[in-house]
Coordinates of all heavy atoms in Angstrom, one line a residue:
P407 N 43.1 -71.0 -88.9 CA 42.7 -70.7 -90.3 C 43.4 -69.5 -90.8 O 43.8 -69.4 -92.0 CB 41.2 -70.4 -90.1 CG 40.8 -71.1 -88.9 CD 41.9 -71.1 -88.0
A408 N 43.7 -68.5 -90.0 CA 44.4 -67.3 -90.4 C 45.8 -67.6 -90.8 O 46.3 -67.0 -91.8 CB 44.3 -66.2 -89.3
L409 N 46.4 -68.5 -90.0 CA 47.8 -68.9 -90.4 C 47.8 -69.6 -91.7 O 48.7 -69.4 -92.6 CB 48.4 -69.8 -89.3 CG 48.7 -69.1 -88.0 CD1 49.0 -70.2 -86.9 CD2 49.9 -68.2 -88.1
G410 N 46.8 -70.4 -92.0 CA 46.7 -71.1 -93.3 C 46.5 -70.1 -94.4 O 47.2 -70.3 -95.5
A411 N 45.7 -69.2 -94.2 CA 45.4 -68.2 -95.3 C 46.7 -67.4 -95.5 O 47.1 -67.0 -96.7 CB 44.3 -67.3 -94.9
A412 N 47.4 -67.0 -94.5 CA 48.6 -66.2 -94.6 C 49.7 -67.0 -95.3 O 50.6 -66.3 -96.0 CB 49.1 -65.8 -93.2
A413 N 49.7 -68.3 -95.2 CA 50.7 -69.1 -95.9 C 50.5 -69.2 -97.4 O 51.4 -69.6 -98.1 CB 50.8 -70.5 -95.3
A414 N 49.2 -68.9 -97.9 CA 49.0 -69.1 -99.3 C 49.8 -68.2 -100.1 O 50.0 -67.0 -100.0 CB 47.5 -68.7 -99.5
G415 N 50.4 -68.8 -101.1 CA 51.4 -68.1 -102.1 C 52.8 -67.9 -101.6 O 53.6 -67.5 -102.3
I416 N 53.0 -68.2 -100.3 CA 54.4 -68.0 -99.8 C 55.2 -69.3 -99.9 O 56.4 -69.3 -100.3 CB 54.3 -67.6 -98.3 CG1 53.6 -66.3 -98.2 CG2 55.7 -67.6 -97.6 CD1 53.4 -65.8 -96.7
Y417 N 54.6 -70.5 -99.7 CA 55.2 -71.8 -99.8 C 54.8 -72.5 -100.9 O 53.7 -72.4 -101.5 CB 54.9 -72.5 -98.5 CG 55.5 -71.9 -97.2 CD1 54.6 -71.1 -96.4 CD2 56.8 -71.9 -96.9 CE1 55.1 -70.4 -95.3 CE2 57.3 -71.2 -95.8 CZ 56.5 -70.5 -95.0 OH 56.9 -69.9 -93.9
D418 N 55.6 -73.4 -101.4 CA 55.3 -74.2 -102.6 C 54.2 -75.2 -102.5 O 53.5 -75.6 -103.5 CB 56.6 -74.9 -103.1 CG 57.7 -74.0 -103.5 OD1 57.4 -72.8 -104.0 OD2 58.9 -74.3 -103.5
N419 N 54.1 -75.8 -101.3 CA 53.0 -76.8 -101.1 C 52.5 -76.7 -99.7 O 53.1 -76.1 -98.8 CB 53.5 -78.2 -101.4 CG 54.8 -78.5 -100.7 OD1 54.8 -78.6 -99.4 ND2 55.9 -78.7 -101.5
V420 N 51.4 -77.5 -99.5 CA 50.8 -77.5 -98.1 C 51.6 -78.0 -97.1 O 51.7 -77.6 -95.9 CB 49.4 -78.2 -98.1 CG1 48.8 -78.4 -96.8 CG2 48.5 -77.6 -99.1
I421 N 52.4 -79.1 -97.3 CA 53.3 -79.8 -96.4 C 54.3 -78.9 -95.8 O 54.5 -78.8 -94.7 CB 53.9 -81.1 -97.0 CG1 52.8 -82.1 -97.4 CG2 54.9 -81.7 -96.1 CD1 53.2 -83.3 -98.1
E422 N 55.0 -78.1 -96.8 CA 56.0 -77.2 -96.4 C 55.4 -76.0 -95.6 O 56.0 -75.6 -94.6 CB 56.6 -76.6 -97.6 CG 57.8 -75.6 -97.2 CD 58.5 -75.0 -98.5 OE1 58.1 -75.4 -99.7 OE2 59.3 -74.2 -98.3
A423 N 54.2 -75.6 -96.0 CA 53.6 -74.5 -95.2 C 53.3 -75.0 -93.8 O 53.5 -74.2 -92.8 CB 52.3 -74.0 -95.9
S424 N 52.7 -76.2 -93.7 CA 52.3 -76.7 -92.3 C 53.5 -76.8 -91.4 O 53.5 -76.6 -90.2 CB 51.5 -78.0 -92.5 OG 52.3 -79.0 -93.0
K425 N 54.7 -77.2 -92.1 CA 55.9 -77.4 -91.2 C 56.4 -76.0 -90.7 O 56.8 -75.9 -89.5 CB 57.0 -78.0 -92.1 CG 56.8 -79.5 -92.3 CD 57.9 -80.0 -93.2 CE 57.8 -81.5 -93.5 NZ 58.8 -82.0 -94.3
K426 N 56.3 -75.0 -91.5 CA 56.7 -73.6 -91.1 C 55.8 -72.9 -90.2 O 56.2 -72.1 -89.3 CB 57.0 -72.8 -92.4 CG 58.1 -73.5 -93.2 CD 59.5 -73.4 -92.6 CE 60.6 -73.9 -93.6 NZ 61.9 -73.9 -93.0
M427 N 54.5 -72.9 -90.6 CA 53.4 -72.1 -89.9 C 52.4 -72.9 -89.1 O 51.5 -72.3 -88.5 CB 52.8 -71.2 -90.9 CG 53.7 -70.3 -91.6 SD 53.0 -69.1 -92.7 CE 52.1 -68.0 -91.5
G428 N 52.5 -74.2 -89.2 CA 51.5 -75.0 -88.5 C 51.5 -74.9 -87.0 O 52.5 -74.6 -86.4
S429 N 50.3 -74.9 -86.4 CA 50.2 -74.8 -85.0 C 50.5 -76.2 -84.2 O 50.4 -77.2 -84.8 CB 48.7 -74.4 -84.5 OG 48.5 -74.5 -83.2
D430 N 51.1 -76.1 -83.0 CA 51.2 -77.3 -82.2 C 49.9 -77.7 -81.8 O 48.8 -77.0 -81.9 CB 52.1 -76.9 -81.0 CG 53.6 -76.8 -81.4 OD1 54.0 -77.3 -82.5 OD2 54.2 -75.9 -80.7
F431 N 49.8 -78.9 -81.2 CA 48.6 -79.4 -80.6 C 48.7 -79.4 -79.1 O 49.6 -79.9 -78.5 CB 48.3 -80.9 -81.1 CG 48.2 -80.9 -82.6 CD1 49.2 -81.5 -83.4 CD2 47.1 -80.5 -83.3 CE1 49.1 -81.6 -84.7 CE2 47.1 -80.5 -84.6 CZ 48.0 -81.0 -85.4
E432 N 47.6 -78.9 -78.5 CA 47.6 -78.8 -77.0 C 47.0 -80.0 -76.3 O 47.1 -80.2 -75.1 CB 46.9 -77.5 -76.6 CG 45.3 -77.5 -76.8 CD 44.7 -76.2 -76.3 OE1 45.5 -75.2 -76.2 OE2 43.5 -76.2 -76.0
S433 N 46.1 -80.8 -77.0 CA 45.5 -82.0 -76.5 C 45.1 -82.9 -77.5 O 45.0 -82.5 -78.7 CB 44.3 -81.6 -75.6 OG 43.4 -80.8 -76.4
E434 N 44.9 -84.2 -77.1 CA 44.4 -85.2 -78.1 C 43.4 -86.1 -77.4 O 43.6 -86.5 -76.2 CB 45.6 -86.0 -78.7 CG 45.3 -86.9 -79.7 CD 46.5 -87.5 -80.4 OE1 47.6 -87.2 -80.0 OE2 46.4 -88.2 -81.4

Side-chain angles (χ1 to χ4, degrees):
L409 289 171
I416 298 176
Y417 298 98
D418 293 333
N419 54 61
V420 173
I421 294 175
E422 183 182 353
S424 64
K425 287 180 180 178
K426 299 290 186 180
M427 299 186 69
S429 169
D430 290 332
F431 299 108
E432 68 176 22
S433 55
E434 189 168 4

